[in-house]
Amino acid sequence: MKRDNNGENTVSDIIPLSGVEAFDLETDVLVAGLGGAGASAALEARRAGAAVTVLESSSGGGGSTQMSACEMYLGGGTRLQRDLGIADSPDNFYNYLKACFGDNCDENRLRLFCDGAVEHFDWAESLGVPYKRGFYDGRDVVAMTGDSLQYTGNERAWPFVEMAQAAPRGHLPADADHSGGLVFMGHLLERVRESGVNILCDARITALVQDEQKRVVGAAARIDNRQVLIRAHRGVVLCTGGFIMNEAMTRKHLPTLDGIATRHGNPGDRGDGIRLGQAAGGNLINMGEAFVGIAHYPPAQLTYGIFVNEQGQRFINEDVYLARLGHYAIQQSQGRIFMFIDNRHFERPAYLNVDIVAVGETVEEVESESGLPAGNLQHTVDYYNQNAALGQDPLFHKASDWLMPLDEPPYALVSYALDQIKPPVFTLGGLEVKPTGEVLRPDGSAVEGLFAAGRTVAGIPRTSAGYASGMSVADVTFFGRLAGRQAAAQS
Ligand SMILES: Cc1cc2nc3c(=O)[nH]c(=O)nc-3n(C[C@H](O)[C@H](O)[C@H](O)COP(=O)(O)OP(=O)(O)OC[C@H]3O[C@@H](n4cnc5c(N)ncnc54)[C@H](O)[C@@H]3O)c2cc1C
């Protein structure tokens, strides 16, 4: 086994079939990783009649999916949306997601997802996951009311509000607050176990076996400190999560974020599947994109404040989702951003530790105490206030619900500098795959016998600018299922 820059054992090994004397185990479909994507793939492959074995490198399944709130971003008129009287359609859902990812999206994948989301929610409920028929209409990262439907993205913010009819699409397990992942994965893993999938824990996939035609026909895993070779007659499905825990990879692909990120994931997010897929011929795409979250709410009233950069200038409409703020914050000089707010709206953000850098009875006092360029903050606030009084935001189009002049002293300037708040980051790049999971080479041909899903691939969410809470788990489970079925269908 080789060593990479990080000193970590690499998994980028390919074993030629000609070098294999005998396999230790045989299966039809071999799934690597028992998180959201892997469990979904394993269950669907098994339900399609295949013998399935799962390798999980930690001592139990769940992965980052289990750590998450397991909000799923689904629309198009799901049973939950319909039961709560919410109007949405597959086309409206598509238009919203297309607005989120623009040119950086795979339209075939998006169409499949938008047309299949209604059925996918039924599938999640059929696993036994409880969803409460309650709609939370507030502005929070996760509804803390036990309700299962909420707005989680930029649906009501400019420019998205002009591109699709706003609809709430965050589907949360009932009464779970931030622990929906435990509920969701508890039910999903139970269904996987019942279905007769062979689960091997403390079993890290370390290599793929390829025949002379470069078809993947099996894999090697480290189990009980020895190499175990597994023959996979129909295919191997890589679902080992993203690479946010692999410092060598984040230094290379996300250099701006490497030093400031709070690495948001489980220890298994080492990029193993990405590197194995690449070694087998797979193409990597979108590797420089990541979710960057700056939870500037709750409380919702902070949305009335304005964000400025170190030039004292606004750069965003503050009613956006926290990952869109993250996307634009990293583009500001030194990653230094501040919230200017008055006494009427001041509060501390619930999820962030922030420093107040200046307070004053006038904007000028705040400006001089903070050291921002003289006159700039004053100009920004004057212009904002004049327009807010008229219910308009000509520069960034914040919705009128959140516009009120900031005119009640004392005033504060609060630092949200990225190197201080260290925003949570997880990766959005990986293997290029067909929507049905086949791993693609740079020339567009498929690596036979090799499939992948979840954060091991570049899926629906491809930039923090358009991300909404729930897009990752919805993507990993939806496309995990497709990859499992596709692998099972091979002869
Ligand atoms: C705290 C937190 C909250 C979040 N909340 C949400 C949310 O509410 N909604 C949302 O959409 N997203 C959320 N996310 C992001 C989301 O949880 C993940 O992006 C998503 O769950 C990843 O799913 P996955 O199946 O690709 O990977 P995982 O669920 O991480 O599964 C990968 C599995 O592969 C295993 N593995 C790794 N390497 C190997 C190997 N070599 N061999 C065998 N097994 C291996 C890992 O141990 C792991 O069990 C959250 C993330 C965090 C950390």
Side-chain angles (χ1 to χ4, degrees):
M1 193 170 272
K2 293 175 241 151
R3 294 198 163 258
D4 65 17
N5 306 342
N6 204 22
E8 189 190 335
N9 288 333
T10 69
V11 290
S12 54
D13 284 350
I14 295 295
I15 300 173
L17 180 60
S18 55
V20 175
E21 274 177 28
F23 285 98
D24 301 288
L25 288 172
E26 296 207 11
T27 190
D28 290 333
V29 174
L30 181 67
V31 177
L34 190 58
S40 304
L43 183 60
E44 292 295 291
R46 183 74 197 109
R47 285 180 172 175
V52 180
T53 295
V54 177
L55 300 169
E56 166 54 51
S57 62
S58 71
S59 301
S64 297
T65 313
Q66 184 152 300
M67 296 164 66
S68 80
C70 230
E71 184 129 49
M72 283 207 285
Y73 197 83
L74 298 171
T78 64
R79 193 177 297 271
L80 182 62
Q81 287 180 311
R82 291 198 309 274
D83 288 351
L84 290 166
I86 303 294
D88 200 3
S89 67
D91 283 348
N92 189 46
F93 186 27
Y94 180 91
N95 291 342
Y96 178 70
L97 289 176
K98 185 76 180 84
C100 290
F101 301 111
D103 292 340
N104 192 8
C105 88
D106 169 345
E107 293 184 7
N108 293 334
R109 172 183 307 273
L110 207 56
R111 197 71 251 182
L112 262 180
F113 179 61
C114 293
D115 289 344
V118 168
E119 185 277 333
H120 191 60
F121 177 70
D122 291 342
W123 174 83
E125 278 204 312
S126 76
L127 299 173
V129 182
Y131 290 93
K132 188 158 144 188
R133 268 51 188 168
F135 168 45
Y136 172 69
D137 196 18
R139 180 159 158 79
D140 204 331
V141 178
V142 164
M144 303 298 275
T145 52
D147 296 318
S148 284
L149 192 66
Q150 68 171 132
Y151 282 97
T152 69
N154 298 300
E155 302 85 359
R156 294 181 287 190
W158 186 87
F160 305 94
V161 69
E162 294 177 357
M163 295 162 148
Q165 187 188 328
R169 303 195 182 95
H171 290 58
L172 268 176
D175 299 312
D177 298 346
H178 286 274
S179 304
L182 282 168
V183 177
F184 184 93
M185 286 308 295
H187 287 279
L188 177 54
L189 292 177
E190 197 46 44
R191 300 291 85 77
V192 172
R193 279 184 216 108
E194 282 169 8
S195 72
V197 167
N198 177 29
I199 299 172
L200 303 174
C201 288
D202 298 309
R204 182 177 178 184
I205 188 171
T206 53
L208 293 169
V209 180
Q210 266 183 321
D211 69 13
E212 279 178 8
Q213 284 74 44
K214 301 293 177 198
R215 182 189 166 95
V216 173
V217 296
R222 202 82 196 151
I223 304 177
D224 284 341
N225 215 21
R226 73 182 187 92
Q227 179 173 270
V228 173
L229 289 165
I230 303 144
R231 174 99 204 200
H233 294 288
R234 301 194 198 172
V236 174
V237 190
L238 299 170
C239 298
T240 61
F243 65 88
I244 195 59
M245 294 300 175
N246 184 320
E247 287 183 30
M249 288 180 80
T250 54
R251 263 200 308 276
K252 176 172 175 189
H253 298 287
L254 302 166
T256 313
L257 292 168
D258 184 63
I260 54 162
T262 296
R263 295 170 193 270
H264 204 52
N266 79 91
D269 282 333
R270 295 168 297 240
D272 287 1
I274 295 173
R275 292 187 293 160
L276 282 175
Q278 188 183 29
N283 192 31
L284 303 188
I285 57 171
N286 213 43
M287 294 295 281
E289 294 287 345
F291 163 96
V292 184
I294 301 181
H296 57 304
Y297 57 88
Q301 73 194 59
L302 288 173
T303 311
Y304 288 102
I306 56 173
F307 277 109
V308 296
N309 55 25
E310 66 175 7
Q311 287 78 41
Q313 291 166 336
R314 279 178 80 213
F315 57 92
I316 199 164
N317 41 332
E318 294 79 6
D319 55 348
V320 292
Y321 175 64
L322 56 89
R324 189 164 175 84
L325 176 61
H327 175 84
Y328 285 101
I330 55 180
Q331 295 173 30
Q332 305 309 308
S333 116
Q334 318 285 337
R336 290 184 71 210
I337 64 166
F338 306 88
M339 176 174 278
F340 176 84
I341 194 155
D342 67 350
N343 192 45
R344 187 186 298 129
H345 301 108
F346 177 81
E347 264 280 7
R348 284 191 175 271
Y351 297 119
L352 294 179
N353 236 333
V354 290
D355 285 339
I356 298 172
V357 292
V359 283
E361 288 301 311
T362 62
V363 180
E364 197 185 356
E365 268 179 52
V366 172
E367 189 171 72
S368 68
E369 190 177 323
S370 65
L372 293 186
N376 282 13
L377 184 64
Q378 182 76 59
H379 174 78
T380 296
V381 174
D382 287 348
Y383 185 78
Y384 178 80
N385 280 350
Q386 277 162 24
N387 284 289
L390 302 173
Q392 62 191 30
D393 173 16
L395 291 183
F396 296 101
H397 313 283
K398 179 153 77 170
S400 57
D401 294 355
W402 300 109
L403 289 171
M404 198 181 282
L406 300 168
D407 57 6
E408 186 183 297
Y411 304 102
L413 194 72
V414 183
S415 171
Y416 283 65
L418 295 183
D419 58 353
Q420 265 172 273
I421 61 169
K422 298 206 174 289
V425 174
F426 65 84
T427 58
L428 299 177
L431 292 166
E432 182 178 15
V433 295
K434 283 191 189 171
T436 39
E438 292 92 332
V439 173
L440 298 175
R441 297 191 180 87
D443 67 5
S445 63
V447 179
E448 267 189 89
L450 191 62
F451 304 82
R455 292 285 63 79
T456 300
V457 313
I460 295 275
R462 291 194 179 180
T463 155
S464 202
Y467 191 91
S469 261
M471 284 188 183
S472 188
V473 174
D475 171 89
V476 309
T477 51
F478 184 91
F479 291 100
R481 291 176 66 203
L482 290 190
R485 272 191 240 141
Q486 194 69 4
Q490 306 304 302
S491 49

